[in-house]
Amino acid sequence: MRTIFTSRIARAALASAALALAAPSGAALAQEKVLKAVMHADVRVIDPIWTTQTIANIHGMLVYDTLFGNDVNMQPKPQMVGKYEISADKLTYTFTLRDGLKFSDGSAVTTKDVIASLQRWGRKDGVGLRLFSFVDKLEAVDDKTFKMMLKKPYGMVLESLGKTNSSVPVIMREKEAQTDHNTQVKESVGSGPYMMLRDQWVPGSKAVYVKNPHYVPRPGNEPPSSFSGSKIAGVDRIELVWIADSQTAMSALINGEVDFYENPGIDFLPILQKAKGVKLTKTGDLDSTHGMIRLNHLHPPFNNVKARQAMLHLINQEDFLRAIIGDAEYYRVCHGLITCGSPLSNDGGSAMLKEYNPKKALQLLKEAGYKGEPITILATTDHNTITPATQVLIQAMREAGINLDVQSMDWGSVVSRRAKKDPPAQGGWNIFITTTGGVGASNPVLHTWLGAACDKGLFGWPCDAKIEELRNAFAFAQTEDEKKRIAKELQTRAIEQVVYIPFGQWSTPLAYRADRIEGIVPNTGLAVLWGIKKK
């Protein structure tokens, strides 16, 4: 207890230091309109293509722009693109950039930057990999116009370019975009509404952004809808403040020390609802977050499908959701991989996810060749949902009699280590817990974690040709009935192969000072911050 109390004091002290660091200094800053936002995680990585980390992609959407942006209904709308044409055979897309696009260093955005950025994204992201498997070539016509020529009439080109969950296809300068896709870009120069002040970035404390003086929003003052519409920078400066302790973060919002709290704990919602000047709002119609347990398919025991299926018997979603959220009003048991409540949700394969039976789990593991070797689990220590979910899994595995090697570390370290393909004993891993956005997970092609593209896929590297065939087939489906049929077949196969194990979905409202800011754009997935204004 003393340790917990001391730890809370320490976190509160660090939070106070963060707020002090975040405070404007001097008369000049006092004139600025500053948005102080407490996010769900600290900004540690600034390359939104290299990682799927949500906070890195929120950073990315402040700094960079995209060719298209999907709206709240997942319909792609032009952003950097001024006009585009699709040939009658649907094999050639011709895109022309809007006039006057510039990076924050003042240099013009050209098709060289666009093509290099898309090619890097197409080597790293699952959605990009799929799109580029159908791309014959990208060809610059001039500095503003380029063509994308396809081998087949792939039906998800614009939706892929406008994707709104992780690894968004942002446009970088050519020199950064030429960085190997497995190496982090260390610069942060984009053509988005804000620019990052690298000299004021303090990992573990805050990340600072100011208006990009060269940004050209879409004309017409289009209303924002998810990633579409005119991205108008509403404040001069945005400070993403990191406060690990949720009670301290809540107090900071109530006391007016911050303006925006992205992910308040459910336990604190009744207090926030009564707080003067504070308002809560839903982020969208779909549940915002989908919980996942990822197994490493490269190494024993989970390179054996029977061992992976054994893990299905250790998951009682109610246990996870009660530990993470607590209040059933905000969570949903979902025995599917496609977001429950979305048009394509279905019950394909869901029966395999409903039998909680630790004894059977251990028996299946033994039948798969498991002999008590330690299983390495990456245990996040500082994430408000991933940390408790990991503890629930650890308890279930120990109760089943499974030998664990628990590697405790902060979320940023998990993000780095999960990229390693080495055997667990040599710095790799067997299991980590993560989450993904409910919107992205509602579409079989845009749901990156549903893929099974072997060494080209996401961490864990599931490998199954049938799954990849079905995802391709979905992109070519001509009718809604055909899409639903394929989605169900795909989910069934993905659960059988255990591409990941779902432990439910949930949605928490964001909280903000309604007496001080306006223009909140509810968005399921990455937080939209560019439209917010100070009153």
Side-chain angles (χ1 to χ4, degrees):
M1 190 69 184
R2 178 186 175 88
T3 301
I4 293 172
F5 181 68
T6 304
S7 176
R8 173 154 287 177
I9 290 175
R11 289 199 298 270
L14 288 171
S16 298
L19 289 170
L21 282 168
S25 59
L29 283 184
Q31 302 302 316
E32 288 186 324
K33 293 187 175 180
V34 181
L35 172 70
K36 295 181 181 179
V38 178
M39 310 305 286
H40 71 281
D42 182 34
V43 178
R44 296 293 183 101
V45 176
I46 58 173
D47 182 350
I49 300 299
W50 180 81
T51 181
T52 61
Q53 198 181 19
T54 300
I55 191 66
N57 282 272
I58 291 173
H59 152 85
M61 291 308 295
L62 286 172
V63 171
Y64 298 102
D65 208 350
T66 54
L67 298 178
F68 284 79
N70 291 344
D71 67 13
V72 70
N73 297 314
M74 300 284 280
Q75 297 301 307
K77 302 294 175 61
Q79 279 297 319
M80 297 174 74
V81 166
K83 62 180 182 180
Y84 66 100
E85 296 177 352
I86 305 173
S87 64
D89 59 7
K90 299 183 179 179
L91 290 176
T92 300
Y93 287 66
T94 303
F95 302 103
T96 299
L97 301 175
R98 285 192 284 120
D99 292 332
L101 297 181
K102 291 183 179 181
F103 292 105
S104 58
D105 65 355
S107 62
V109 178
T110 72
T111 48
K112 290 182 179 178
D113 304 303
V114 172
I115 290 174
S117 296
L118 292 181
Q119 288 174 332
R120 182 169 185 261
W121 170 71
R123 296 186 187 101
K124 183 68 176 178
D125 177 58
V127 175
L129 281 163
R130 186 167 311 283
L131 170 59
F132 271 76
S133 71
F134 298 105
V135 172
D136 184 26
K137 61 180 176 180
L138 287 173
E139 182 178 274
V141 176
D142 54 36
D143 281 351
K144 288 183 56 184
T145 301
F146 71 101
K147 293 179 180 290
M148 175 181 286
M149 284 159 273
L150 306 180
K151 303 168 190 172
K152 294 182 178 180
Y154 185 64
M156 295 285 290
V157 173
L158 303 185
E159 290 86 349
S160 299
L161 296 177
K163 63 176 293 199
T164 59
N165 50 346
S166 60
S167 298
V168 176
V170 299
I171 303 303
M172 300 178 170
R173 296 184 301 188
E174 182 185 29
K175 64 179 182 179
E176 278 90 28
Q178 288 177 335
T179 304
D180 182 84
H181 60 284
N182 288 319
T183 301
Q184 290 187 52
V185 169
K186 300 296 185 181
E187 295 295 328
S188 187
V189 179
S191 63
Y194 286 90
M195 52 187 280
M196 186 185 200
L197 298 183
R198 287 287 307 274
D199 61 335
Q200 295 186 36
W201 178 30
V202 184
S205 176
K206 66 170 182 175
V208 178
Y209 306 82
V210 295
K211 282 184 178 179
N212 173 5
H214 301 287
Y215 179 64
V216 181
R218 283 193 62 76
N221 198 23
E222 299 172 354
S225 173
S226 190
F227 284 6
S228 71
S230 301
K231 298 177 182 175
I232 306 295
V235 295
D236 302 307
R237 176 184 174 100
I238 294 176
E239 297 178 353
L240 304 186
V241 182
W242 173 231
I243 301 178
D245 183 77
S246 55
Q247 184 170 351
T248 305
M250 177 194 68
S251 298
L253 183 70
I254 292 173
N255 295 331
E257 296 165 345
V258 299
D259 308 295
F260 182 97
Y261 187 7
E262 181 197 15
N263 195 21
I266 294 296
D267 292 344
F268 299 129
L269 295 184
I271 301 174
L272 290 170
Q273 285 170 334
K274 296 177 182 176
K276 186 177 180 181
V278 174
K279 185 175 182 178
L280 303 176
T281 189
K282 287 184 63 177
T283 56
D285 292 333
L286 291 178
D287 289 334
S288 63
T289 311
H290 187 84
M292 307 187 302
I293 298 165
R294 191 70 157 186
L295 308 177
N296 191 334
H297 292 225
L298 296 183
H299 303 294
F302 301 127
N303 57 353
N304 184 320
V305 67
K306 195 168 190 177
R308 298 197 297 272
Q309 291 175 350
M311 293 294 292
L312 301 179
H313 297 287
L314 291 174
I315 310 303
N316 178 0
Q317 291 195 6
E318 285 279 358
D319 291 344
F320 285 82
L321 294 168
R322 281 196 294 267
I324 297 169
I325 304 299
D327 189 335
E329 179 181 351
Y330 298 99
Y331 69 70
R332 182 196 313 240
V333 170
C334 177
H335 294 117
L337 306 186
I338 296 172
T339 305
C340 288
S342 67
L344 294 171
S345 64
N346 63 80
D347 61 357
S350 62
M352 296 182 69
L353 300 171
K354 295 179 179 178
E355 184 187 359
Y356 177 75
N357 188 335
K359 288 183 178 178
K360 186 173 182 178
L362 183 59
Q363 181 59 37
L364 289 174
L365 272 171
K366 289 178 178 178
E367 291 174 11
Y370 175 67
K371 297 179 181 177
E373 301 87 347
I375 292 177
T376 300
I377 181 167
L378 306 184
T380 304
T381 57
D382 61 345
H383 196 289
N384 65 344
T385 56
I386 294 174
T387 297
T390 305
Q391 293 306 311
V392 173
L393 179 63
I394 288 171
Q395 183 176 345
M397 294 182 73
R398 282 178 170 158
E399 286 179 358
I402 298 170
N403 184 16
L404 290 184
D405 168 29
V406 177
Q407 298 284 318
S408 298
M409 62 191 75
D410 61 35
W411 175 235
S413 298
V414 172
V415 168
S416 295
R417 184 160 168 178
R418 69 183 183 177
K420 294 183 178 181
K421 294 183 177 178
D422 300 320
Q426 298 174 27
W429 55 276
N430 291 117
I431 302 173
F432 74 91
I433 313 291
T434 189
T435 63
T436 191
V439 170
S442 68
N443 182 296
V445 171
L446 301 185
H447 187 358
T448 310
W449 293 94
L450 194 55
C454 310
D455 61 338
K456 293 182 179 179
L458 280 180
F459 327 106
W461 307 282
C463 188
D464 186 77
K466 181 65 175 176
I467 290 174
E468 293 302 290
E469 289 174 9
L470 288 166
R471 295 182 81 201
N472 287 341
F474 181 88
F476 288 98
Q478 299 298 309
T479 67
E480 291 304 310
D481 285 345
E482 188 180 3
K483 288 182 179 179
K484 288 181 179 179
R485 178 186 60 76
I486 294 170
K488 185 169 184 175
E489 189 176 351
L490 171 60
Q491 179 174 283
T492 302
R493 178 70 178 184
I495 291 175
E496 288 172 353
Q497 292 298 309
V498 196
V499 295
Y500 69 85
I501 304 169
F503 57 85
Q505 59 189 53
W506 60 92
S507 190
T508 57
L510 61 85
Y512 66 99
R513 294 292 309 211
D515 56 343
R516 295 165 53 169
I517 62 174
E518 60 186 358
I520 304 294
V521 180
N523 186 51
T524 301
L526 305 183
V528 171
L529 299 175
W530 47 78
I532 298 176
K533 298 178 181 178
K534 272 292 182 73
K535 291 183 176 178

